[in-house]
């Protein structure tokens, strides 16, 4: 990206980069330049250009204030289209719809009370036949006669103690399962995390220990009985053995609570936090693979250059744009090995300032959105927690990138919906950053005063109708072929007139442009073209004389054909002349120059250089002329990008207002953009700003669509049809009145109706699969909140995401 451009009056040729490269920035370049100072007295807005960056801005990194090395090491896992990948963490698995907290607490309480009642009835002997199972497996001489007779011997008493402990354990287990105590613990204790989990488990363990040693819970005595039956009663003559048994019981009671409270993990985490790692032990494994070590340069054998860039990153002398620019430059250099050595030498000599953009800028003067320049993403909003959105996308960030913009984007919303501030400007800003990294070229077109970015953020600023504009626009797109120039110019002039055939209009223009260029060496200016289309005798006679003097007989035949067809039925020349007259106004004097000294800016340069271009249109005073120029720029962009051979540079056209700019030919051109690494972003107030015959073709040509809040139901219907339908499960509940046959039942039903005021009914539930629109026209018109938009995304590879309701915070 060496500087080979010049800055001329009112423009630049197609093969030269506008604007000279500035001197290299200081040794410690800031990450984000501060907003430029106020204009000096007497300076025009076009003359304001920063000479050096300023202090950092909070929006410089995806995480404000994060150093570049940490930004580089942050994971960016591959995700579905539109997911903000910087530091992305997947949401937890979706849980099935469970019972409410109230039902859960009531069920647990009822289960606990029932278990206590049952245990009380058991202990007090109110349950019959409670000892029958025990007597079936023990000798009869241990028990008194009868089904309710108690133990007669010591062995029977010991057996009853163990039997009660087993029944208590089964009762506690059944109470826990029926009362769903595990879900209650998970929802209200475990989900709160540490240290609440550990403290709650410790409190429960203390209470349980108290109940165990107070013998409210049958644990100690059954254990002592079992140990005595196995080892003999003499074992308790040793106090040490008794203490060991008590310690084992206490540990066994404590162990489940330690597992539930994750005490071991908590202690290990606290020790790891308190104990510092030895120098170099933690950094050594990461240094071998971390992105801030520039592994691609080390693998290629340029360790010195990698060490230089690593030091630049660690000391903060590089920003995110520098990293993206140098990585892209290295990728291009690997395709041509003869460029590797010069690039490595430039890195050793200038560090992060190597391979600068021709403008000399290393960042934008300010940023208004969150960007991840490494992936080219710009975050424009967050997916709302709405049933229309899939569970995995709720709450995740939504971002746009070249892989999505390559399919083109259509945004529709009324004035004030936030199209410019929340979508168009972040996209222009992201593409400008990509241009500084040498990976994109952007042309932003809007009305004068549209907030598309400051002048310092662009290489070329064209202000049509403004006498202080330093650049101009080439009306013919920088081509030298009369037929190509005529086709594009005809599309821009009368492409929106349905009664005219643009191919016939192109033929008329070619019959005039070809002879004029053959005679004068350049295409006619706007006043001269208007005279030729009007058929002014003096203009045609002078052109004919020039052709005869130069001996251009073929061009004379073209001019004669135009003379014969002039004034015939269906001649498009008068309509073309009327449209050209919109540009032949005093406000545009000096613009659209075509002479040998004129050097207007040509869109053909967008396909060759990473340029940042902004065109301001005089919409207030010359609305029709502005629409004509917008239509012409769209036609030139689709034609030029489709014809370029080198598609490594992503080119994007952004129209802040595409009203009456879309024609049948440009729709076909938009379809071809994705195959040539280019895209277009079109903003409309309503779909009706496009001819009705192009509604469906336009929605089918773009891969990304955005419906902002406040659109009409007519626009919503078109989006609903374009987004298609999906299968959903529906539940239909029908209530049927119950008619009783028995007198007593009828009396109960009458009493219930008297008390409740409603008849006794039964519910009949029908569940079925139906196909419904993802978003209906009424939902798009009335259910989208202010500041939101429903966005559907698709990539150039064919991946797509369903329409998502997004809260725009771009």
């Amino acid at each position: 990206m060496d500087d080979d451009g010049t800055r001329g009056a009112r423009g630049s040729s197609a093969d030269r980069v506008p604007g000279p490269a500035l001197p290299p920035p200081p040794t410690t370049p800031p990450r984000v330049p501060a907003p430029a100072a106020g204009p000096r007295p007497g300076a025009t807005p076009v003359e304001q250009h920063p000479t050096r960056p300023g202090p950092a801005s909070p929006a410089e990194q995806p995480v404000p204030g994060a150093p570049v090395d940490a930004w580089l090491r942050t994971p960016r896992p591959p995700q579905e289209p539109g997911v903000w990948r910087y530091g992305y963490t997947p949401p937890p698995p979706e849980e099935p719809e469970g019972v409410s907290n109230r039902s859960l607490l009531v069920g647990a309480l009822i289960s606990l009370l029932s278990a206590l009642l049952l245990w009380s009835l058991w202990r007090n002997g109110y349950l019959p036949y409670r000892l029958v199972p025990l007597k079936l497996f023990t000798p009869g001489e241990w028990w008194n006669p009868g089904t309710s007779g108690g133990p007669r011997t010591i062995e029977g008493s010991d057996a009853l103690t163990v039997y009660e402990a087993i029944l208590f354990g089964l009762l506690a287990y059944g109470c826990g399962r029926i009362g769903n105590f595990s879900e209650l613990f998970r929802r209200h204790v475990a989900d709160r995390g540490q240290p609440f989990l550990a403290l709650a488990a410790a409190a429960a363990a203390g209470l349980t220990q108290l109940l165990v040693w107070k013998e409210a819970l049958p644990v100690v005595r059954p254990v002592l009985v079992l140990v005595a039956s196995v080892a003999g009663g003499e074992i308790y003559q040793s106090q040490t053995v008794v203490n060991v048994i008590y310690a084992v019981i206490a540990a066994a009671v404590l162990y489940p609570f330690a597992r539930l409270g994750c005490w071991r993990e908590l202690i290990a985490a606290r020790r790891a936090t308190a104990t510092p790692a030895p120098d170099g032990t933690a950094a050594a494994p990461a240094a071998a693979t971390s992105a801030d070590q520039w592994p691609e340069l080390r693998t290629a054998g340029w360790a010195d250059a990698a060490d230089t860039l690593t030091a630049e990153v660690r000391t903060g002398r590089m920003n995110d744009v520098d990293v993206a620019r140098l990585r892209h430059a290295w990728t291009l250099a690997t395709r041509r090995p003869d460029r590797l050595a010069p690039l490595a030498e430039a890195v050793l000599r200038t560090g992060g300032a190597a391979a600068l953009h021709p403008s000399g800028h290393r960042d934008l003067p300010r940023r208004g959105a969150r960007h991840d320049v490494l992936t080219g993403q710009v975050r424009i909003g967050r997916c709302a927690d709405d049933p229309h959105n899939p569970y995995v996308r709720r709450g995740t960030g939504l971002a746009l990138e070249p892989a999505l913009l390559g399919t083109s984007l259509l945004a529709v919303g009324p004035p004030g919906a936030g199209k410019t501030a929340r979508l168009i400007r972040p996209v222009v800003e992201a593409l400008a950053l990509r241009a500084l990294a040498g990976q994109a070229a952007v042309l932003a077109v809007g009305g004068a005063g549209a907030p598309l970015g400051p002048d310092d953020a662009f290489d070329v600023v064209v202000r049509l109708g403004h006498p202080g504009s330093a650049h101009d626009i080439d009306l013919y797109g920088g081509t030298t072929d009369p037929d190509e120039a005529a086709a594009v110019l005809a599309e821009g002039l009368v492409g929106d007139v349905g009664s005219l055939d643009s191919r016939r209009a192109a033929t008329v223009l070619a019959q005039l442009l070809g002879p004029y260029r053959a005679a004068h060496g350049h295409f006619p200016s706007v006043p001269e073209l208007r005279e030729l289309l009007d058929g002014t005798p003096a203009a045609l006679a002078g052109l004919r004389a020039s052709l005869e003097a130069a001996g251009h007989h073929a061009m004379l035949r073209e001019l004669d054909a135009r003379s014969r067809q002039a004034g015939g039925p269906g001649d498009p020349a008068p309509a073309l002349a009327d449209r050209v007259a919109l540009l032949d106004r005093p406000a545009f004097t000096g613009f659209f120059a075509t002479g040998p000294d004129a050097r207007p800016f040509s869109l053909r340069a967008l396909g060759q250089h990473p340029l940042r271009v902004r065109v301001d249109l005089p919409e207030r005073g010359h609305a029709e002329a502005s629409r004509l120029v917008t239509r012409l720029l769209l036609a030139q962009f689709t034609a030029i990008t489709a014809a370029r051979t080198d598609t490594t540079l992503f080119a994007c056209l952004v129209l802040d207002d595409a009203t009456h700019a879309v024609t049948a030919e440009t729709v076909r051109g938009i379809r071809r953009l994705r195959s040539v690494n280019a895209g277009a972003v079109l903003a409309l107030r309503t779909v009706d700003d496009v001819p009705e015959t192009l509604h469906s073709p336009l929605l089918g040509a773009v891969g990304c669509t955005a419906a902002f809040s406040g659109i009409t139901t007519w626009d919503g219907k078109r989006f609903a049809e374009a987004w298609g339908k999906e299968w959903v499960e529906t539940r239909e509940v029908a209530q049927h009145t119950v008619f009783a046959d028995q007198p007593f039942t009828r009396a109960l039903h009458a009493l219930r109706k008297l008390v409740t005021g409603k008849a006794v009914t039964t519910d009949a539930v029908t569940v079925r699969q139906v196909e419904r629109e993802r978003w209906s026209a009424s939902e798009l018109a009335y259910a989208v909140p202010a500041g939101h938009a429903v966005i559907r995304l698709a990539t150039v590879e064919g991946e797509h995401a369903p329409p998502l309701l997004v809260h725009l915070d771009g």
Side-chain angles (χ1 to χ4, degrees):
M1 292 185 292
D2 295 333
D3 175 31
D4 61 346
T6 58
R7 184 184 301 274
R10 289 269 178 93
S12 171
S13 60
D15 56 347
R16 301 183 72 85
V17 182
L22 299 180
T27 307
T28 307
R31 295 172 182 168
V32 175
R40 60 182 182 273
T44 62
V46 182
E47 296 173 351
Q48 306 302 322
H49 293 285
T51 57
R52 70 175 60 234
S57 164
E60 181 253 332
Q61 298 289 358
V63 178
V68 180
D69 54 350
W71 172 78
L72 267 173
R73 291 194 301 267
T74 302
R76 297 166 175 84
Q79 292 298 323
E80 297 179 2
V83 175
W84 175 250
R85 294 166 50 193
Y86 178 81
Y88 174 80
T89 55
E94 184 177 10
E95 297 180 359
E97 184 178 355
V99 296
S100 63
N101 290 332
R102 179 179 179 182
S103 300
L104 192 63
L105 290 172
V106 171
L109 182 60
I110 292 176
S111 175
L112 179 61
L113 294 176
S114 300
L116 291 176
L117 176 62
L118 187 61
W119 182 247
S120 176
L121 294 176
W122 166 270
R123 294 296 299 268
N124 292 285
Y126 289 105
L127 296 180
Y129 310 107
R130 64 190 187 95
L131 298 180
V132 171
L134 179 60
K135 292 181 178 180
L136 291 177
F137 295 95
T138 55
E141 59 270 14
W142 290 4
W143 310 99
N144 291 320
T147 55
S148 300
R152 179 189 299 176
T153 62
I154 297 177
E155 291 82 0
S157 299
D158 294 342
L160 180 59
T161 300
V162 176
Y163 178 59
E164 288 182 346
I166 294 175
L167 290 180
F168 180 82
L170 295 176
L171 182 63
Y173 176 77
C175 173
R177 291 297 301 272
I178 295 174
N180 205 0
F181 278 85
S182 60
E183 176 65 17
L184 187 66
F185 175 81
R186 183 196 63 80
R187 189 178 298 184
H188 296 282
V189 180
D191 286 352
R192 296 192 178 186
Q194 300 288 8
F196 181 83
L197 176 60
L199 294 176
L207 178 61
T208 305
Q209 290 280 7
L210 179 63
L211 296 176
V212 166
W213 296 111
K214 289 292 184 179
E215 296 190 1
L217 300 179
V219 176
V220 178
R221 187 177 296 274
V223 171
L224 296 177
V225 169
L226 290 176
V227 172
S229 63
V230 173
E234 297 81 4
I235 193 174
Y236 295 119
Q237 296 178 359
S238 173
Q239 185 63 36
T240 303
V241 174
V242 175
N243 293 337
V244 170
I245 294 175
Y246 286 165
V248 171
I249 293 174
V253 173
L254 195 63
Y255 177 75
F257 296 98
R259 290 289 303 273
L260 290 175
C262 302
W263 293 353
R264 179 183 299 177
E265 291 79 359
L266 179 61
I267 294 173
R270 293 295 176 90
R271 287 179 176 177
T273 304
T275 305
D279 295 339
T281 56
T289 57
S290 60
D292 62 334
Q293 296 290 316
W294 301 86
E296 61 272 15
L297 273 70
R298 299 182 186 277
T299 304
W302 299 96
D304 294 341
D307 292 338
T308 301
L309 294 180
T310 301
E312 295 269 306
V313 169
R314 295 290 176 85
T315 56
R317 293 196 296 267
M318 288 180 64
N319 61 9
D320 53 349
V321 178
D322 294 332
V323 174
R325 185 186 68 251
L326 290 173
R327 283 195 167 193
H328 179 67
W330 183 263
T331 302
L332 295 180
T334 53
R335 301 175 185 174
R336 297 184 60 179
D338 57 314
R339 295 185 177 181
L340 289 176
L343 178 60
E345 293 175 0
V347 169
L348 292 174
R349 185 176 62 256
T350 60
L356 271 180
H357 186 265
S359 66
H361 296 168
R362 297 173 65 173
D363 209 334
L364 298 180
R366 54 178 124 12
R367 302 187 191 182
R370 294 181 61 186
H371 300 272
D372 186 16
V373 188
L374 204 61
T375 59
Q377 288 189 318
V378 54
R379 190 181 187 276
I380 63 171
R382 174 181 51 82
C383 296
D385 187 5
D386 187 85
H388 286 92
N389 293 342
Y391 171 77
V392 295
R393 299 301 298 268
R394 297 175 190 173
T396 61
L398 189 81
L400 296 176
E401 57 184 307
L404 299 172
L405 299 178
T407 64
S408 298
L409 186 148
L410 175 66
V412 178
K419 299 189 301 297
T420 301
R422 300 184 179 185
L423 180 65
I424 299 300
R425 174 160 182 172
V427 168
V428 173
E429 201 172 84
L431 293 172
L433 289 173
R434 298 283 286 182
L436 290 177
Q439 304 176 44
V442 57
L443 171 61
V445 182
L452 299 181
D455 295 348
D456 300 335
F458 296 92
D459 303 311
V460 176
V461 177
V462 180
R463 290 185 174 88
L464 286 180
H466 193 287
S469 178
H471 296 280
D472 193 2
I473 290 181
D474 189 349
L475 196 64
Y476 304 97
T479 183
T480 58
D481 184 0
D483 293 326
E484 181 181 352
V488 176
L489 185 58
E491 194 64 32
L493 292 176
V494 295
D496 61 328
V497 182
S499 59
L500 287 180
D501 186 1
S502 60
R503 292 174 294 182
R504 187 171 182 182
T507 302
V508 171
L509 288 172
Q511 290 173 344
L512 296 174
L513 297 181
Y516 191 94
R517 179 172 179 79
H520 301 281
H522 58 83
F523 291 121
S525 62
V526 169
E528 293 169 335
L529 180 60
R530 180 183 180 183
E531 291 179 354
L532 293 174
L533 289 172
D534 283 333
T536 304
L540 293 176
L543 180 58
R544 181 181 300 276
S546 300
L547 292 174
E548 290 176 350
H552 294 291
H553 302 289
M555 293 302 172
L556 281 172
R557 288 195 300 270
E558 286 285 293
L559 193 60
D560 291 339
R562 172 84 288 269
S563 300
R564 290 192 302 270
Q565 298 170 3
D571 183 19
L576 290 171
D578 292 341
R579 289 299 178 88
V580 173
L582 296 174
L583 303 179
D584 189 17
R585 305 296 302 164
F588 302 123
T589 301
F591 284 87
F592 311 112
T594 59
D597 298 332
R599 299 177 59 204
F601 171 75
S602 171
L603 264 65
R604 200 168 297 272
L606 287 175
Q608 304 172 8
H609 307 288
L611 292 177
R612 302 166 295 166
V613 184
R614 193 188 78 206
V615 178
D616 294 343
L617 303 175
E619 290 183 343
R620 294 184 179 179
H622 304 275
E624 286 299 325
S626 299
R627 293 174 181 175
L628 189 153
V629 173
T630 302
R631 190 165 52 248
L632 178 62
L633 292 176
L634 178 58
Q636 287 185 359
F637 181 81
T638 55
I640 291 171
T641 53
R644 63 176 181 164
T645 57
D646 185 6
T647 60
T648 56
L649 196 69
F650 178 73
C652 188
L653 170 66
V654 181
L655 298 182
D656 185 47
D657 184 7
T659 303
H660 300 297
V662 180
T663 64
E665 184 61 30
T666 54
V667 168
R668 287 189 287 267
I670 290 174
R671 287 197 186 100
R672 295 191 295 264
L673 291 180
R674 67 178 64 190
S675 62
V676 293
N677 195 23
V681 179
L682 312 177
L684 295 172
R685 295 182 177 89
T686 174
V687 181
D688 290 332
D689 289 340
V690 177
E692 185 176 359
T693 56
L694 297 179
H695 289 173
S696 297
L698 177 61
L699 289 172
V702 298
C704 303
T705 49
F708 283 72
S709 61
I711 65 172
T712 62
T713 53
W714 292 273
D715 288 344
K717 180 181 179 181
R718 298 181 182 97
F719 279 108
E721 293 175 352
W723 291 339
K725 301 179 179 181
E726 62 179 347
W727 289 98
V728 296
E729 183 180 278
T730 62
R731 292 169 56 90
E732 297 179 357
V733 180
Q735 293 184 339
H736 303 283
T737 304
V738 178
F739 298 96
D741 296 331
Q742 301 298 325
F744 180 72
T745 307
R746 285 200 298 271
L748 290 178
H749 287 182
L751 179 61
R752 179 177 175 180
K753 184 176 181 180
L754 181 62
V755 173
T756 62
K758 297 180 180 179
V760 180
T761 60
T762 59
D763 294 341
V765 181
T766 303
V767 180
R768 59 179 180 175
Q769 296 282 338
V770 298
E771 194 176 20
R772 287 184 178 176
E773 294 174 333
R774 300 178 185 271
W775 281 83
S776 67
S778 298
E779 288 175 330
L780 289 173
Y782 302 111
V784 179
H788 290 66
V790 181
I791 301 178
R792 188 254 185 188
L793 301 175
T795 66
V796 292
E797 290 82 9
E799 299 181 61
H800 59 86
L804 302 171
L805 179 63
V806 181
H807 175 250
L808 299 171
D809 54 11

